[in-house]
Amino acid sequence: MYNLIRPLLFALDAEAAHRATLYGLDVAHRSNFLHIVAKPPVELPTTAFGVRFPNPVGLAAGLDKNADHLDALGALGFGFVEVGTTTPRPQLGNDKPRMFRLPRHQAVINRLGFNNDGVDALVRNVQKSSYRGVLGINIGKNKDTPNEKAVDDYLFCLERVYALASYITVNISSPNTQGLRDLQEEATLRRFIETLREAQERLGSQTGARRPMLLKIAPDLSDTELDAIAEVLLAAKVDGVICTNTTIDHSSVADDPHGHEIGGVSGKPLFARSTAVLRGMRQRVGNQLDIIGVGGILDGNNAAEKIDAGASLVQIYSGMVYRGPTLIAECVDAIRHQREDTHAG
Ligand SMILES: Cc1cc2nc3c(=O)[nH]c(=O)nc-3n(C[C@H](O)[C@H](O)[C@H](O)COP(=O)(O)O)c2cc1C
């Protein structure tokens, strides 16, 4: 079904296609037609950072920034959905066009810049949604908040989303908010994470239900930077890490008409690098925390490779653009076969 719709969507500008798809999904969901495009959820129970997931394949952050489409996306068969990135105040993001498809490379370049309606709107949307599956909420900072005050933005969002989320992702790895990735620097990260960890535990006691908190990191990190981040994560006892966000390295798409567009590259060209960071992180943290593997999953084998590299769960975004919802069940099946082989072998 998606193969039929895809040429129509690809005739549109990438952001227009994105909006049309989500609108279509909402209509299909409300009219009970969604089963035509989607397969029923596939069960493959998985537990990570204390949360039980019906299957280990989730939707990555950024596709539904405001949780506007949670019911429809939640009906596609994902084991979990991550919404956001959300910021304290609404913001428009960068000027359009700011999202580009590179079909030859099965890639996307985006420089959206955290366009979103603000955390209060996201909270309202989650509250009125009927989705009862595992929900990640991804938080960030406003563009005009200086890095010295960034932690206040994250605390603001953390407090508002805490009780609604199954887990919270702290996003310090988008390349499209100037200076954001500097928060990954060791001394800054240490102070920043300690403050958020204290708030996480305080909110856990206040609400009576502790929520796991994950850090989402960039793929463009050196071995020394990875060493430092792993050390901070372990020292602060962070629940998990998401490897990775989009890359600023455009070398693999330089020959594409859109290859020069400023922004983060996702999709197939990101697979090797994001998987190497995931593997490197697993080697550094041992079994002390769980990792979500994301970046360039375009087929079931890619998903199984992420698990092999040390992920407990995987997420997809660009793969949804190129493959549509059938990719979800394909990834679950590949991970199931991998588990069966591991147990048999
Ligand atoms: C258009 C677009 C918007 C994104 N927005 C966000 C975001 O708001 N927050 C975030 O943490 N990641 C965001 N991402 C990154 C994805 O969550 C994911 O980490 C990345 O795209 C790699 O996965 P993929 O290769 O499957 O797309 C975005 C990606 C794309 C393509």
Side-chain angles (χ1 to χ4, degrees):
M1 179 72 180
Y2 186 73
N3 287 342
L4 296 176
I5 304 170
R6 204 182 95 148
L8 299 175
L9 291 172
F10 275 32
L12 300 172
D13 150 78
E15 202 169 340
H18 175 86
R19 273 198 309 275
T21 307
L22 289 171
Y23 174 77
L25 271 181
D26 281 344
V27 172
H29 181 251
R30 278 198 301 271
S31 359
N32 280 327
F33 280 138
L34 206 52
H35 62 277
I36 298 174
V37 283
K39 291 190 175 178
V42 190
E43 282 286 316
L44 186 61
T46 305
T47 301
F49 35 84
V51 176
R52 188 185 175 282
F53 295 76
N55 72 55
V57 180
L59 175 66
L63 198 145
D64 190 8
K65 301 220 185 229
N66 302 306
D68 284 318
H69 311 279
L70 192 47
D71 289 333
L73 290 168
L76 290 182
F78 287 112
F80 61 112
V81 174
E82 187 169 316
V83 294
T85 298
T86 187
T87 58
R89 285 166 286 115
Q91 60 181 29
L92 292 172
N94 293 319
D95 292 341
K96 293 179 188 171
R98 53 192 181 176
M99 184 174 168
F100 308 89
R101 279 182 309 260
L102 292 72
R104 213 189 294 166
H105 295 279
Q106 293 186 287
V108 175
I109 294 181
N110 94 85
R111 51 169 179 272
L112 294 173
F114 290 169
N115 54 315
N116 80 105
D117 297 340
V119 68
D120 292 332
L122 177 136
V123 164
R124 279 194 299 276
N125 285 338
V126 173
Q127 280 167 339
K128 66 175 194 238
S129 138
S130 46
Y131 177 70
R132 293 292 169 265
V134 178
L135 177 67
I137 303 185
N138 180 309
I139 61 174
K141 78 166 189 74
N142 279 111
K143 180 184 175 180
D144 57 4
T145 303
N147 266 11
E148 308 82 74
K149 295 205 170 118
V151 73
D152 296 337
D153 276 15
Y154 287 87
L155 285 171
F156 186 93
C157 292
L158 183 68
E159 288 181 7
R160 275 159 187 76
V161 306
Y162 194 87
L164 292 170
S166 313
Y167 71 87
I168 295 127
T169 301
V170 174
N171 178 14
I172 51 167
S173 49
S174 167
N176 303 314
T177 296
Q178 210 191 353
L180 191 79
R181 288 181 167 197
D182 298 345
L183 295 172
Q184 295 174 123
E185 186 276 320
E186 187 175 3
T188 313
L189 184 64
R190 197 177 295 277
R191 280 193 305 276
F192 175 80
I193 288 292
E194 277 168 9
T195 309
L196 293 180
R197 283 280 297 113
E198 278 164 28
Q200 178 195 11
E201 296 307 332
R202 173 175 49 78
L203 289 163
S205 312
Q206 279 170 9
T207 58
R210 184 186 180 281
R211 303 295 191 221
M213 190 173 76
L214 280 59
L215 189 74
K216 184 165 179 178
I217 64 169
D220 309 302
L221 296 162
S222 67
D223 281 354
T224 324
E225 287 168 323
L226 262 189
D227 285 344
I229 292 175
E231 216 179 290
V232 172
L233 291 172
L234 291 178
K237 296 192 164 57
V238 172
D239 300 281
V241 54
I242 305 188
C243 305
T244 69
N245 216 310
T246 56
T247 177
I248 53 170
D249 179 358
H250 288 216
S251 53
S252 53
V253 294
D255 62 338
D256 194 278
H258 290 307
H260 63 284
E261 293 289 352
I262 294 168
V265 180
S266 57
K268 197 174 179 133
L270 176 61
F271 180 78
R273 184 184 279 262
S274 61
T275 308
V277 168
L278 157 61
R279 199 181 291 279
M281 182 55 82
R282 173 57 73 209
Q283 278 159 2
R284 286 166 172 84
V285 300
N287 285 328
Q288 298 189 62
L289 50 85
D290 284 304
I291 307 181
I292 301 182
V294 52
I297 297 178
L298 269 300
D299 62 29
N301 287 339
N302 296 153
E305 273 185 69
K306 295 277 186 196
I307 302 288
D308 186 58
S312 309
L313 306 160
V314 298
Q315 288 177 325
I316 46 187
Y317 187 142
S318 305
M320 290 297 286
V321 174
Y322 288 101
R323 297 285 319 282
T326 52
L327 177 61
I328 306 164
E330 185 181 314
C331 290
V332 177
D333 286 342
I335 297 171
R336 181 199 320 283
H337 290 138
Q338 183 190 38
R339 278 191 201 174
E340 285 163 1
D341 289 349
T342 312
H343 289 137

